[in-house]
């Protein structure tokens, strides 16, 4: 099936047709000087252009079959164009070979091969098997050259490759040897390929009706008009006055005139005579081929009109025959109705002619008796008909049985006669068998062996070609995959560098704002304008990213619904939040290839979960987003398997619906204050607040001693965001309160929580004595900040990706993870805290400094 048409303007210089005016004949450009020079050079030095006539299978209905087409390869676009003849001005269609594969089947017709693209399959046929193999090898080579001619690597890579020149040449030579190992180079069929093949006779050229492309009729008409216009100009040139010859004829005559003999070779120059004869032959062939096409459409229309008339007359005859038959049936029915009406009329006349009522009554009774008699007769006839039908069916059945018996006897007799004849023939052949019969058998067996050898050789050739095709396509695929991977890594690094530069720019603006202070003037106004523009970059970047798909962009929310850039009212805090979001994104891009991908691969290969040192290391490194729900459910089940019972959660919900708990009012108050920076708990249509309410009410009935404590809402909310199931979140809350944390941690006295604050103070004095002395001099009590850390396990303090990584280890190892991260946070910000001298500034910094930590390591 032929593809869509391309205009010459779109194909540009890649269209393999000459750009001459309509009046000139469209012939392939043949340079005799190049041919003469090519005779003295080797064959490899002047390879012919990849063009020639091939048969293409296409069309629909009665005109479906092989069609002769002129094919020409464009090296710049890696497209194979084709037209009806080599003289056509516009191509019918093209085949994109950049992503195509080639195939030839041994059991197909000789010279047949296929070009398979992602959109269609094109079946072609060459004149000979050698020509088919040449086309396949050349198309493979052109495709490989096109992929190797893609945009070059950066300068640094070019410099590195320049030093490895001998190695690369050796590699290319090895690749050529690999290609030759599959299929030896095929000799060029000069009479079937190249520009000289345009005037060679096409083998088995189909009829004009079959060869025309009805799908590209517009292109066919354009090419025909160009040929007609060229013929008219040629004829006008032939009818000019004797003194006005066309330039082409004058040039031909000048070329036909003998040139003066040179000093080295006397007589006529053979090159000029060859050139003049070739020009004359090209003009004659262009005229003869262009004069045949315009009369085709008129003959086709006349044939179609006569055929349509015949079909219309046949249909009219059928309709009249059916109508005549229907009229005959109607006449029979009317005759019967007329007879019945006449009988009824006679009866009515007799009835009306009676003088008295008694006579009329007697007539009616007589008719009733007749009707009854007729009814009895009808019943008797019906019974007789049924008995006759049964008798006839029994007789027919007996006749069929007798016929089957007779047929069986005849078959047996015939089979016996055949056996007798075969035995007689066999006996006769055994006596009269001659030695020539054995020779004929030997020759037929030898002929079969030759055919089998030919088939085996064809399959070997097909196997070698397909192996080379698979080998080359695999190399191309690997090369493209490596390029894609390198481009993705380069894009990630460039995005990370862009985020870092933008973060540094925002930090510089903030420091400049602090340095200017409250001074009024143009500088402070310009600074405020720059900060506003920097804070609004996110919206413009989001709109741009919606058009250009990038590997990773800064979205408004992360995968768990938390705001990546909190919307603070204070401009300074908004600037710090934007800086922090950029740094987080930069760390994520830089760590994606080096850290996250190997970690995802390790989690993917991890089978059944079981407590081990390897699992502990993986949990400390963080669980990937797609594996976290499964891992958390396993960790929770490990903690509360002695408390879990089927239907326990549903029973607690039913109990809460039957009786209102005293903590229900406080739960309702805390629902609206749960994670105001998360879209799942701030959206009015979200189902998470209702799920959180049911989880907290069920826990208040599960543990009446605690009931509800402020902070449990955030623990349950984190579990809901990750697990997305009420019952799993409920048991996660039970595991934290009743198995991981010490007793009385969430009681009314919060005794265990206060003990942990004293333990943290001692650890800080031991690990960070300089920081604790600095804070002690300024009377700063860290428990005002760290108490909430321990109560909700950093739920309000850390950004979401670091927070969930802390919870991964916390659910497996317990409360010691909270102490370790608290110490790490103060160690991470020790120098910044030591630079602050005022207690108020220290308290302000402690309230938000955990949000500035971007790197989880």
């Amino acid at each position: 099936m032929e593809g869509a048409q391309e205009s010459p303007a779109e194909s540009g210089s890649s269209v393999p047709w000459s750009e001459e005016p309509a009046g000139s004949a469209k012939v392939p450009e043949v340079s005799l000087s190049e041919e003469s020079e090519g005779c003295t050079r080797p064959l490899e030095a002047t390879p012919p252009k990849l063009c020639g006539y091939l048969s293409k299978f296409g069309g629909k209905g009665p005109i479906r079959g092989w069609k002769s087409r002129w094919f020409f390869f464009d090296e710049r676009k890696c497209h194979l164009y084709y037209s009806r003849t080599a003289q056509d001005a516009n191509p019918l269609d093209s085949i994109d070979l950049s992503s195509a594969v080639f195939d030839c089947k041994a059991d197909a017709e000789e010279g047949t091969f296929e070009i398979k693209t992602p959109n269609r399959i094109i079946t072609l046929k060459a004149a000979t098997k050698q020509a088919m193999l040449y086309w396949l090898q050349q198309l493979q080579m052109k495709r490989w050259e096109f992929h190797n001619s893609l945009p070059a690597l950066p300068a640094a890579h070019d410099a590195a490759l320049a030093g490895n020149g001998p190695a690369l040449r050796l590699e290319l030579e090895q690749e050529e040897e690999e290609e030759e190992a599959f299929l030896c180079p095929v000799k060029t069929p000069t009479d079937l390929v190249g520009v000289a093949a345009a005037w060679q006779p096409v083998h088995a050229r189909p009829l004009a009706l079959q060869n025309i492309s009805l799908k590209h009729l517009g292109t066919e008409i354009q090419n025909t008009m160009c040929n007609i216009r060229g013929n008219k100009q040629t004829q006008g040139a032939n009818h000019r006055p004797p003194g006005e010859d066309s330039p082409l004829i004058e040039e031909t005559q000048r070329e036909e005139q003998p040139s003066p003999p040179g000093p080295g070779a006397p007589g006529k120059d053979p090159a000029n005579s060859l050139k003049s004869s070739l020009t004359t032959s090209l003009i004659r062939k262009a005229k003869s081929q262009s004069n045949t096409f315009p009369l085709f459409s008129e003959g086709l229309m006349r044939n179609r009109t006569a055929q349509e008339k015949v079909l219309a007359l046949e249909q009219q005859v059928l309709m009249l025959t059916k109508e005549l038959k229907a009229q005959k049936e109607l006449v029979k029915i009317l005759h019967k109705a007329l007879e019945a009406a006449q009988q009824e009329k006679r009866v009515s006349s007799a009835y009306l002619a009676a003088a008295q009522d008694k006579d009329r009554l007697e007539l009616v009774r007589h008719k009733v008796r007749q009707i009854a008699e007729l009814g009895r007769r009808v019943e008797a006839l019906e019974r007789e008909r049924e008995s006759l039908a049964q008798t006839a069916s029994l007789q027919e059945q007996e006749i069929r049985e007798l016929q089957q018996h007779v047929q069986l006897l005849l078959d047996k007799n015939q089979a016996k006669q055949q056996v007798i004849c075969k035995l007689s023939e066999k006996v006769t052949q055994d006596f009269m068998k001659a030695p020539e019969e054995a020779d004929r058998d030997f020759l037929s067996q030898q002929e079969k062996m030759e055919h089998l050898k030919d088939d085996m050789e064809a399959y070997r050739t097909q196997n070698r070609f397909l192996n080379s095709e698979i080998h080359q396509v695999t190399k191309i695929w690997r090369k493209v995959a490596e390029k894609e991977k390198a481009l993705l890594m380069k894009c990630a690094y460039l995005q990370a560098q862009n985020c870092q530069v933008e973060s540094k720019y925002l930090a510089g603006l903030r420091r400049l704002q602090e340095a200017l202070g409250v001074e009024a003037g143009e500088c402070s106004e310009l600074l405020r304008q720059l900060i506003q523009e920097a804070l609004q970059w996110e919206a413009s970047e989001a709109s741009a990213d919606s058009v250009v798909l990038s590997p990773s962009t800064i979205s408004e929310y992360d995968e768990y619904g938390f705001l990546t850039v909190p919307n603070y009212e204070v401009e300074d805090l908004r600037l710090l939040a934007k800086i922090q979001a950029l740094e987080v994104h930069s760390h994520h891009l830089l760590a994606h290839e080096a850290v996250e991908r190997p970690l995802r691969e390790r989690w993917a290969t991890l089978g059944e979960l079981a407590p081990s040192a390897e699992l502990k290391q993986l949990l400390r490194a963080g669980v990937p987003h797609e594996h976290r729900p499964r891992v958390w459910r396993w960790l929770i089940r490990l903690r509360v398997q002695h408390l879990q019972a089927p239907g326990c959660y549903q029973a607690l919900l039913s109990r809460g619906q039957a009786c209102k708990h005293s903590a229900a009012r406080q739960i309702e108050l805390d629902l609206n204050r749960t994670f105001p920076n998360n879209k799942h708990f701030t959206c009015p249509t979200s189902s998470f607040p209702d799920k959180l309410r049911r989880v907290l009410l069920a826990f208040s009935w599960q543990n009446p001693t605690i009931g509800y404590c402020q902070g449990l809402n955030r623990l349950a909310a984190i579990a809901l965001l990750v697990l997305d199931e009420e019952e799993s979140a409920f048991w996660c809350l039970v595991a934290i309160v009743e198995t991981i944390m010490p007793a009385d941690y969430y009681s009314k006295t919060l005794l265990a929580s206060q003990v942990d604050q004293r333990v943290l103070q001692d650890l800080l004095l031991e690990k960070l004595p300089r920081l604790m002395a600095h804070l002690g001099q300024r009377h700063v009590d860290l428990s005002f900040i760290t108490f909430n850390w321990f109560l909700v396990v950093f739920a309000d303090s850390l950004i979401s990706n670091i927070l969930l990584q802390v919870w991964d280890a916390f659910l497996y190892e317990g409360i010691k993870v909270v102490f370790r991260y608290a110490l790490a946070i103060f160690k991470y910000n020790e120098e910044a805290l030591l630079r602050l001298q005022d207690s108020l500034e220290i308290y302000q910094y402690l309230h938000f400094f955990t949000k500035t930590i971007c790197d989880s390591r």
Side-chain angles (χ1 to χ4, degrees):
M1 183 175 177
E2 300 175 358
Q5 175 182 347
E6 287 189 13
S7 64
E10 294 175 351
S11 56
S13 60
S14 62
V15 179
W17 287 267
S18 57
E19 301 287 342
E20 298 180 5
S24 60
K26 309 298 187 292
V27 297
E29 298 177 0
V30 182
S31 176
L32 294 177
S33 60
E34 292 180 358
E35 290 182 358
S36 60
E37 292 175 1
C39 297
T40 60
R41 291 180 294 181
L43 183 61
E44 294 77 15
T46 58
K49 293 183 179 179
L50 187 56
C51 57
Y53 277 106
L54 292 174
S55 296
K56 179 179 176 296
F57 191 78
K60 290 183 179 180
I63 61 172
R64 181 172 178 82
W66 295 102
K67 301 184 179 182
S68 176
R69 295 288 183 262
W70 172 262
F71 285 79
F72 192 94
F73 180 75
D74 182 11
E75 297 180 354
R76 293 196 307 168
K77 291 187 177 181
C78 197
H79 278 217
L80 188 65
Y81 291 88
Y82 61 89
S83 65
R84 189 160 59 90
T85 62
Q87 290 77 29
D88 288 345
N90 301 321
L92 295 178
D93 202 354
S94 65
I95 305 172
D96 185 6
L97 301 182
S98 60
S99 58
V101 294
F102 313 111
D103 186 18
C104 66
K105 297 179 180 179
D107 55 352
E109 190 176 354
E110 182 180 359
T112 304
F113 62 98
E114 293 180 347
I115 301 177
K116 300 181 180 180
T117 65
N119 298 326
R120 54 176 176 161
I121 299 177
I122 300 95
T123 305
L124 304 176
K125 184 171 70 174
T128 61
K129 182 178 179 181
Q130 181 186 3
M132 176 195 73
L133 294 177
Y134 176 79
W135 272 97
L136 288 172
Q137 278 195 346
Q138 291 298 316
L139 291 175
Q140 276 189 339
M141 183 181 67
K142 299 296 184 182
R143 181 186 60 188
W144 178 247
E145 291 176 354
F146 176 76
H147 281 284
N148 282 340
S149 65
L150 291 178
L153 296 174
H157 295 283
D158 293 339
L161 293 174
N164 300 328
L168 290 176
R169 285 193 296 272
L170 180 60
E171 184 178 357
L172 292 175
E173 292 175 359
Q174 292 176 354
E175 289 182 357
E176 292 178 356
E177 292 176 358
E178 290 178 1
E179 293 291 334
E180 292 180 1
F182 289 108
L183 193 63
C184 298
V186 181
K187 186 178 179 181
T188 305
T190 54
D191 56 338
L192 299 176
V193 178
V195 292
W199 302 122
Q200 294 292 335
V202 181
H203 296 275
R205 182 185 292 271
L207 299 176
L209 179 59
Q210 296 180 353
N211 197 36
I212 192 170
S213 175
L214 297 179
K215 184 173 181 180
H216 307 91
L217 196 57
T219 308
E220 293 276 11
I221 293 173
Q222 290 179 5
N223 294 332
T224 304
M225 294 304 297
C226 291
N227 292 333
I228 292 173
R229 196 179 300 117
N231 292 334
K232 287 183 178 180
Q233 292 183 4
T234 305
Q235 293 174 4
N238 292 334
H239 290 292
R240 286 179 182 178
E244 299 179 2
D245 292 332
S246 64
L248 186 61
I249 297 176
E250 291 177 1
E251 183 180 355
T252 307
Q253 292 176 356
R254 286 196 302 269
E255 291 172 353
E256 291 177 353
Q257 291 178 1
S259 59
K268 201 176 204 178
D269 190 0
N272 290 336
S273 62
L274 177 61
K275 185 174 181 181
S276 62
S277 62
L278 180 59
T279 305
T280 307
S281 64
L282 290 179
I283 294 172
R284 291 173 182 174
K285 288 181 179 180
K287 289 171 60 180
S288 62
Q289 290 190 5
S290 61
N291 286 333
T292 59
F293 181 74
L295 298 178
F296 169 74
S297 59
E298 297 178 2
L300 181 62
M301 290 301 296
R302 288 197 297 270
N303 294 336
R304 282 185 177 177
T305 304
Q307 189 174 7
E308 289 176 356
K309 289 181 179 179
V310 171
L311 290 175
L313 291 174
E314 289 178 355
Q315 291 178 358
Q316 190 174 2
V317 169
L318 291 176
M319 290 176 61
L320 292 174
T321 305
K322 291 181 180 179
E323 187 176 356
L324 178 61
K325 188 175 181 182
Q327 292 294 334
K328 289 181 179 180
E329 294 290 337
L330 181 59
V331 168
K332 291 180 181 179
I333 294 172
L334 291 175
H335 276 299
K336 292 180 180 179
L338 180 60
E339 292 176 359
Q342 288 176 353
Q343 182 68 24
E344 185 68 23
K345 181 180 178 182
R346 285 193 295 270
V347 172
S348 300
S349 299
Y351 179 78
L352 293 174
Q356 298 179 359
D357 294 338
K358 184 178 179 180
D359 296 336
R360 292 182 181 180
L361 182 59
E362 185 64 28
L363 286 173
V364 172
R365 289 174 181 172
H366 179 68
K367 288 297 179 183
V368 171
R369 287 193 295 271
Q370 285 182 351
I371 291 171
E373 182 65 26
L374 289 173
R376 287 191 296 273
R377 288 179 62 186
V378 167
E379 291 178 0
L381 291 173
E382 185 68 24
R383 288 194 294 270
E384 185 180 359
R385 188 186 64 79
E386 291 178 358
S387 63
L388 290 175
Q390 292 178 359
T391 305
S393 62
L394 292 175
Q395 291 179 355
E396 288 178 359
Q397 186 175 0
E398 291 177 359
I399 291 172
R400 283 196 296 269
E401 291 178 357
L402 292 174
Q403 287 177 350
Q404 290 177 359
H405 185 64
V406 171
Q407 185 66 32
L408 182 62
L409 293 176
L410 291 175
D411 293 340
K412 286 183 179 180
N413 187 20
Q414 186 177 2
K416 290 179 181 179
Q417 290 180 358
Q418 289 178 357
V419 170
I420 293 172
C421 292
K422 287 182 180 179
L423 291 175
S424 301
E425 290 177 359
K426 186 176 181 181
V427 170
T428 306
Q429 288 176 0
D430 290 340
F431 283 109
M432 300 180 64
K433 190 172 183 180
E436 291 82 5
E437 190 70 24
D439 294 339
R440 284 197 297 270
D441 293 340
F442 174 74
L443 292 175
S444 64
Q445 293 295 332
Q446 190 173 9
E447 186 177 356
K448 289 181 180 179
M449 288 180 61
E450 292 295 333
H451 287 307
L452 290 175
K453 287 181 181 180
D454 294 341
D455 293 342
M456 185 173 62
E457 184 63 29
Y459 279 114
R460 283 178 181 173
T461 305
Q462 179 190 10
N463 188 26
R464 287 196 297 268
F465 168 73
L466 292 177
N467 288 336
S468 66
E469 178 71 9
I470 293 170
H471 178 69
Q472 192 179 94
V473 170
T474 304
K475 288 199 300 183
I476 293 173
W477 176 79
R478 287 177 180 172
K479 190 173 182 180
V480 171
E482 290 175 359
K483 288 182 180 179
E484 182 181 4
K485 185 177 180 181
L487 289 174
L488 287 176
M489 291 181 63
K490 184 178 180 181
C491 183
Y493 280 118
L494 290 176
Q495 276 196 337
Q497 291 177 0
N498 183 35
C499 291
Q500 290 176 357
V501 170
E502 190 175 349
S503 175
K504 290 177 182 179
Y505 171 71
L506 294 176
L509 289 178
R510 182 171 177 271
R511 291 177 184 174
L512 185 59
Q513 186 182 25
E514 292 176 354
L516 289 176
V518 295
E519 296 179 3
E522 296 181 357
C523 294
S524 59
E525 182 65 28
L526 179 61
L527 183 61
R528 279 195 297 272
Q529 184 179 357
L530 290 175
I531 292 174
Q532 289 294 333
E533 291 177 357
L535 292 175
Q536 293 173 1
W537 280 347
E538 184 177 355
S540 60
E541 289 174 357
S543 63
D545 292 334
S546 64
V547 179
V548 182
L549 186 62
S550 59
S552 179
T553 57
I554 303 178
S555 60
E556 185 178 0
Y557 296 96
D558 61 6
E559 59 267 20
Y560 293 103
F562 289 98
L563 276 171
T564 55
V565 183
N567 189 15
Y568 295 114
E569 295 181 0
V570 183
E571 184 176 312
D572 195 15
L573 294 179
R574 281 193 294 160
L575 193 59
L576 285 174
K578 185 64 180 297
I579 293 172
Q580 173 216 357
L582 290 169
E583 291 180 355
V584 169
H585 190 58
S586 174
H587 284 297
H588 171 73
L589 289 173
L590 293 174
H592 180 71
E593 293 292 333
V595 180
E596 291 186 9
R597 180 169 292 182
L599 184 63
R600 289 177 188 272
E601 293 175 357
R602 289 182 64 186
W603 275 104
T605 56
L606 191 65
E608 190 68 25
L609 297 176
S612 62
E614 181 186 5
L615 180 62
K616 181 189 289 187
Q617 295 298 326
L618 288 174
L619 289 171
R620 289 180 177 180
V623 183
H625 172 65
E626 60 270 16
H627 298 286
R628 184 167 281 131
R630 176 177 66 90
V631 175
W632 278 28
R633 289 189 184 94
W634 179 80
L635 293 172
I636 294 165
R637 188 168 55 254
L638 197 66
R639 294 277 185 181
V640 298
Q641 57 186 352
H642 63 286
L643 300 173
Q644 279 183 328
C648 178
Y649 178 69
Q650 297 299 330
L652 292 172
L653 288 180
S654 302
R655 186 177 177 186
Q657 292 176 358
C659 180
K660 186 176 182 180
H661 198 278
S662 58
R665 183 174 178 275
Q666 186 62 40
I667 290 173
E668 289 294 334
L669 292 174
D670 286 350
L671 283 178
N672 296 327
R673 293 181 286 190
T674 304
F675 294 137
N677 61 338
N678 191 290
K679 65 179 180 180
H680 296 300
F681 292 98
T682 56
C683 181
T685 59
S686 177
S687 62
F688 276 82
D690 295 333
K691 293 181 181 179
L692 182 60
R693 180 188 299 108
R694 290 191 288 269
V695 170
L696 294 176
L697 286 173
F699 180 79
S700 64
W701 289 106
Q702 165 74 14
N703 195 330
T705 305
I706 297 175
Y708 175 74
C709 174
Q710 288 186 348
L712 296 181
N713 59 330
R714 281 163 282 185
L715 297 176
I718 292 293
L720 272 174
L721 289 173
V722 175
L723 300 173
D724 200 22
E725 293 179 1
E726 293 182 32
E727 189 170 357
S728 300
F730 166 75
W731 288 115
C732 180
L733 184 60
V734 172
I736 293 173
V737 176
E738 299 185 9
T739 63
I740 298 177
M741 292 298 193
D744 297 332
Y745 212 86
Y746 296 97
S747 64
K748 295 180 181 180
T749 59
L750 300 175
L751 182 60
S753 301
Q754 297 176 12
V755 171
D756 280 351
Q757 296 305 307
R758 296 296 299 273
V759 174
L760 180 62
Q761 294 283 341
D762 295 340
L763 289 173
L764 287 172
L765 286 170
E766 179 184 352
K767 302 294 183 181
L768 302 171
R770 191 158 63 98
L771 176 62
M772 291 304 294
H774 177 72
L775 297 176
Q777 291 176 2
R778 285 148 186 82
H779 306 288
V780 176
D781 188 3
L782 291 178
S783 61
F784 290 116
I785 306 298
T786 58
F787 184 81
N788 191 51
W789 293 2
F790 281 71
L791 196 66
V792 298
V793 194
F794 299 104
D796 290 332
S797 305
L798 297 173
I799 59 177
S800 60
N801 59 337
I802 301 178
L803 169 66
L804 296 174
Q805 188 172 342
V806 174
W807 276 57
D808 294 337
F810 166 72
L811 292 175
Y812 185 72
E813 300 183 49
I815 189 65
K816 61 182 180 181
V817 173
V818 184
F819 283 100
R820 290 173 180 171
Y821 271 94
L823 291 173
I825 288 171
F826 281 112
K827 180 65 177 176
Y828 186 80
N829 294 276
E830 182 181 12
E831 297 299 329
L833 287 169
L834 290 174
R835 287 196 295 269
L836 300 175
Q837 301 299 326
D838 185 33
S839 60
L840 182 60
E841 291 181 354
I842 293 175
Y843 276 116
Q844 289 178 350
Y845 182 73
L846 289 174
H847 272 94
F848 71 87
F849 81 111
T850 53
K851 293 286 187 178
T852 62
I853 301 175
C854 306
D855 192 357
S856 61
R857 294 171 295 175

